[in-house]
């Protein structure tokens, strides 16, 4: 099968090579001897793959390896008792191996794809939307009627967070860096949009009548202290990622003075040994998709052989919504 491997840790420009390799067996590292085999139609591309080309991500497989944590595709075979079956359209989280024509995922990380969603949207469903639900509801304890400030709001996690928050009855304030990204945040359903290079903290306090209830932060860096200042009493700031480059440090007296909380949200690490929690998240995201709230925004599509361009787009802060690789199966 055709696939793209990371062959050296030199960044998006030099790390990738298109290869012809054997198809995987129906076995996944999380479920040895068992797995759902999926014919890939679209593979999701995300920040972790950029980091993997430099050896900077926490998951560091031996070289060479096929990156790609999630796909949209069609089930070729599934183990007995699985919730998905041969011929089903699915969104599948495979962890690695997605930049290929065929991949294997654990049964409990495969979800039927809602009728209204295409394969590219399926490739943008699990990592971002399951993280968004986990961060907002399970970690951030979001309730109906609360106001959420979302950083990096035109990105993959950001657009998913806006849609899930809206579906859970919250009001959303998006923080973005450009006109183009403002348009994407509005397309995702943001109620208000403010600029990361403007007085966003004061605007957020004004727009929320004194402070927001929840901040979802996939960006980190310098803006973190202002995120805490934008919260109302009992406010929570959920740490999701660090695309801004630096990991913020906090003077904890701010938490005491404001009666605030900082909460970590690491979806992958949390659900990997909690199949029940992941099924619950999948069911809630499916419910929100059925209600029309979950509609992944696909910002850029590349053929498999242009995986490096997809990674460069993310690396240069140019991505909006989900970036995907499309596998042209009709030409196989
Ligand atoms: N905790 C978890 O479970 C979990 C799960 C999935 C992803 N993540 C992490 O969440 C983060 C966001 O992922 P994503 O897929 O949403 O990424 P993305 O689509 O590339 O969006 C990230 C956003 O970060 C903002 N940003 C600010 N400074 C940046 C910089 N120097 N370089 C690049 N972007 C910058 C950009 O928005 P503006 O230009 O508008 O500022 C950009 O739209 C990543 O760190 C990822 O590893 C965590």
């Amino acid at each position: 099968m055709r696939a793209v491997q990371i062959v050296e840790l030199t960044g998006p420009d030099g790390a990738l090579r298109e290869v012809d390799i054997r198809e995987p067996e129906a076995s996944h590292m999380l479920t040895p001897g068992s797995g759902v085999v999926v014919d890939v139609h679209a593979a999701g591309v995300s920040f972790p793959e950029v980091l993997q080309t430099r050896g900077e991500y926490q998951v560091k497989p031996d070289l060479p390896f096929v990156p790609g944590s999630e796909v949209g595709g069609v089930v070729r075979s599934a183990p007995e008792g699985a919730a998905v079956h041969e011929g089903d359209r699915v969104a599948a989280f495979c962890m690695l191996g997605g930049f290929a024509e065929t991949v294997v995922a654990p049964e409990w990380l495969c979800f039927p794809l809602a009728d209204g969603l295409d394969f590219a949207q399926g490739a943008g469903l699990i990592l971002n939307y399951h993280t968004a639900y986990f961060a907002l509801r399970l970690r951030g304890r979001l309730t109906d009627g609360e106001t959420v400030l979302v950083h990096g709001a035109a990105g993959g996690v950001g657009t998913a967070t806006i849609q899930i928050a809206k579906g859970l009855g919250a009001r959303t304030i998006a923080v973005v860096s450009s006109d183009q990204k403002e348009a994407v945040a509005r397309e995702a359903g943001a109620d208000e949009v403010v600029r990361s290079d403007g007085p966003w903290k004061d605007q957020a306090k004004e727009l929320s009548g004194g402070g927001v209830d929840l901040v979802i932060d996939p960006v980190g860096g310098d803006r973190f202290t202002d995120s805490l200042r934008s919260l109302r009493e009992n406010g929570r700031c959920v740490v999701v990622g660090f695309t801004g480059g630096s990991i913020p440090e906090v003077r904890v007296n701010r938490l005491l003075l404001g009666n605030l909380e900082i909460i970590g949200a690491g979806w992958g690490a949390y659900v990997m040994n909690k199949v029940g929690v992941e099924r619950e998240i999948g069911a809630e995201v499916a419910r929100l998709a059925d209600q029309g709230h979950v509609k992944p925004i696909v910002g850029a599509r590349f053929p498999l052989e242009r995986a490096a361009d997809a990674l460069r787009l993310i690396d240069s802060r140019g991505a909006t919504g989900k970036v995907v690789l499309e596998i042209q199966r009709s030409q196989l």
Side-chain angles (χ1 to χ4, degrees):
M1 66 173 185
R2 281 195 307 139
V4 168
Q5 288 181 327
I6 292 179
V7 296
E8 57 184 42
L9 304 179
T10 51
D13 288 337
L16 301 180
R17 185 174 307 151
E18 197 182 345
V19 291
D20 197 348
I21 55 173
R22 284 178 54 179
E23 287 191 343
E25 305 283 322
S27 174
H28 190 273
M29 60 183 145
L30 291 179
T31 53
S34 171
V36 178
V37 180
V38 178
D39 284 324
V40 179
H41 287 244
V45 187
S46 307
F47 223 83
E49 281 95 37
V50 177
L51 298 176
Q52 279 176 338
T53 64
R54 302 193 177 103
E56 291 174 357
Y57 192 59
Q58 58 259 37
V59 180
K60 295 183 174 69
D62 291 338
L63 295 177
F65 68 96
V66 180
S69 63
E70 60 181 336
V71 302
V74 175
V75 174
R76 189 193 291 181
S77 69
E80 223 178 288
V84 297
H85 306 96
E86 184 186 337
D88 284 355
R89 298 165 74 249
V90 290
F93 194 80
C94 46
M95 291 179 70
L96 290 171
F99 291 8
E101 288 177 338
T102 304
V103 75
V104 180
E107 171 274 319
W108 56 278
L109 285 166
C110 291
F111 301 89
L113 193 52
D115 285 343
L117 303 183
D118 65 19
F119 289 119
Q121 289 175 304
L125 199 59
I126 300 182
L127 181 63
N128 292 335
Y129 285 82
H130 289 213
T131 295
Y133 184 87
F134 178 66
L136 285 162
R137 184 70 122 192
L138 301 190
R139 302 297 294 147
R141 310 188 304 276
L142 180 70
T143 56
D144 193 9
E146 288 193 317
T147 300
V148 185
L149 182 86
V150 183
H151 286 294
V157 170
T159 49
T161 299
I162 290 170
Q163 292 181 1
I164 296 276
K166 295 295 297 174
L168 294 174
R171 181 157 172 252
T172 53
I173 302 175
V175 186
V176 297
S177 65
S178 70
D179 287 348
Q180 189 211 0
K181 289 186 175 182
E182 173 165 354
V184 173
R186 289 200 188 280
E187 184 189 345
D191 295 299
E192 310 284 352
V193 183
V194 295
R195 289 303 178 87
S196 54
D197 60 355
W200 59 267
K201 180 249 304 170
D202 298 328
Q203 290 172 304
K205 287 184 93 153
E206 196 178 319
L207 289 165
S208 58
V212 302
D213 301 286
L214 195 62
V215 173
I216 299 292
D217 185 13
V219 176
D222 297 344
R223 63 178 79 178
F224 198 79
T225 300
D226 274 348
S227 287
L228 296 179
R229 290 187 178 122
S230 73
L231 290 167
R232 70 170 73 236
E233 191 176 65
N234 289 320
R236 292 93 65 201
C237 181
V238 182
V239 178
V240 176
F242 309 104
T243 54
S246 63
I247 297 176
E249 291 180 11
V250 177
R251 294 170 66 88
V252 295
N253 63 323
R254 292 192 188 287
L255 309 183
L256 179 154
L257 292 171
N259 284 298
L260 307 174
E261 291 173 58
I262 299 173
I263 302 168
W267 167 75
Y270 192 88
V271 300
M272 280 312 142
N273 58 1
K274 299 180 192 69
V275 175
V277 175
E278 177 53 16
R279 287 197 205 283
E280 181 195 323
I281 294 172
E284 283 302 299
V285 171
R287 181 179 66 79
L288 292 168
D290 288 344
Q291 292 174 354
H293 294 295
V294 167
K295 285 177 283 188
I297 295 174
V298 177
R301 300 167 190 251
F302 296 89
L304 179 65
E305 60 273 19
R306 288 185 56 208
D309 289 332
L311 294 182
R312 274 192 286 264
L313 183 69
I314 294 172
D315 198 27
S316 65
R317 202 173 172 173
T320 55
K322 186 71 180 183
V323 177
V324 300
L325 303 177
E326 291 187 310
I327 312 272
Q328 303 300 325
R329 301 205 69 85
S330 57
Q331 294 170 13
L332 299 180

